Amino acid sequence: MDTNTQPDAIELIRLTDPSQSISVRLRSTVPAHEDLGVRYYDAEAVVTSGFVSGTVYLGFDSEDLTDWGRLLDAIEEAGQDADPDEPFTADWPPSGRTAYLRLIADDPYVVEVHDGTSTQIVVSMPLDMDDEWIAASRERLSAARVALDG
C-alpha cells in the first residue's frame, strides 16, 4: 500500500462491475495548493482487475468537482439520446495537466486511464456498470464536497 495514502481515503469516483474497477481516491482532504481561490488536490486513479492493477497520480482542482457533476448530467442526457455509431465521450479532469479518465458511454461503458503527462500509458477497461452508477457517483461527489469544504 502507498504510505502516502490515508487508510480512510475518500473515493470521489468508483466505476465498477463484478470483476474490475476504476476509482479516484483523494490522498488528503487538505488542498495541496491554493491559488486565487482555486484549491488543488492530490488524488490517485486506481485500476483493479484480474489482468492489470495499478495506481497513478491524478490531480484536480475545486472547479473540476463542478465539472464532474456536469459530466454526470451530460452522460445521463446522452444515454437518453444515445447514438450507437458515436457514443458520448468525455475526459475528467481535462487532459493535459495530469493523468485523467476518459469515459466512453457505450455498451459496455469503456473507461480509459491516461497517464499522458508522464509515462504515456493508457489502460482501457470495459465496465458493465449497473443502472445505479450515476446516482451512486452523485452521492460520492456530494460526500467529497462536504469533506473538502469542511
Side-chain angles (χ1 to χ4, degrees):
M1 179 175 159
D2 183 348
T3 57
N4 293 322
T5 302
Q6 298 175 353
D8 58 347
I10 295 171
E11 268 189 330
L12 172 61
I13 298 171
R14 181 162 184 74
L15 307 171
T16 186
D17 71 13
S19 61
Q20 50 204 17
S21 68
I22 294 176
S23 62
V24 174
R25 296 187 305 213
L26 288 157
R27 295 176 68 114
S28 173
T29 57
V30 177
H33 176 70
E34 190 166 344
D35 187 27
L36 300 173
V38 177
R39 295 172 307 237
Y40 296 86
Y41 296 97
D42 289 333
E44 57 194 8
V46 181
V47 176
T48 306
S49 79
F51 177 68
V52 64
S53 294
T55 303
V56 64
Y57 172 80
L58 184 151
F60 67 93
D61 63 44
S62 51
E63 295 173 1
D64 292 329
L65 287 175
T66 300
D67 290 344
W68 176 239
R70 287 184 189 133
L71 179 57
L72 291 171
D73 292 341
I75 290 170
E76 192 168 50
E77 289 174 22
Q80 297 166 1
D81 304 322
D83 179 353
D85 294 328
E86 251 189 77
F88 177 84
T89 302
D91 295 346
W92 187 90
S95 62
R97 301 182 319 218
T98 182
Y100 62 94
L101 306 181
R102 174 164 291 154
L103 286 86
I104 304 166
D106 209 350
D107 187 20
Y109 276 83
V110 175
V111 181
E112 299 173 348
V113 178
H114 290 250
D115 185 20
T117 59
S118 180
T119 65
Q120 306 295 311
I121 293 173
V122 177
V123 174
S124 179
M125 186 176 293
L127 295 169
D128 189 17
M129 297 186 289
D130 64 28
D131 294 335
E132 303 301 316
W133 80 269
I134 291 179
S137 294
R138 286 190 175 116
E139 289 175 17
R140 277 192 177 79
L141 174 58
S142 179
R145 283 183 171 148
V146 168
L148 296 175
D149 288 339

